[in-house]
Amino acid sequence: MSRSMPIQPALFETHEIRRVYDEDNETWWFSVVDIVQVLTQQSDYQAARKYWNKLKERLGKEGSQ
């Protein structure tokens, strides 16, 4: 992703999920924190971010990604 790509929110139910399109690879990239926030029904972005960081840490210890 060599150049700046505009954020194009996607709508999931009533929640916006941030995403960008990488034209070089023809791939959409979605914000994992936004997805975690919706799936865990967190009203606070920072709580969802902390949840994701802890989950990522645990997955790393297990050797999963």
Side-chain angles (χ1 to χ4, degrees):
M1 293 189 283
S2 57
R3 57 183 176 262
S4 177
M5 294 177 274
I7 296 173
Q8 301 174 16
L11 199 60
F12 176 76
E13 295 179 355
T14 60
H15 306 279
E16 283 190 354
I17 306 294
R18 291 173 293 161
R19 66 180 180 170
V20 294
Y21 186 70
D22 180 352
E23 291 183 20
D24 295 338
N25 296 311
E26 299 179 348
T27 303
W28 282 103
W29 295 92
F30 292 85
S31 167
V32 173
V33 175
D34 290 357
I35 294 168
V36 167
Q37 184 176 8
V38 171
L39 294 177
T40 60
Q41 300 177 351
Q42 295 285 336
S43 59
D44 180 36
Y45 175 82
Q46 290 301 325
R49 190 171 151 262
K50 287 178 183 178
Y51 184 99
W52 168 241
N53 285 336
K54 190 65 173 176
L55 179 60
K56 188 169 56 169
E57 178 185 314
R58 288 178 182 160
L59 289 172
K61 286 179 181 177
E62 291 178 0
S64 302
Q65 288 290 324

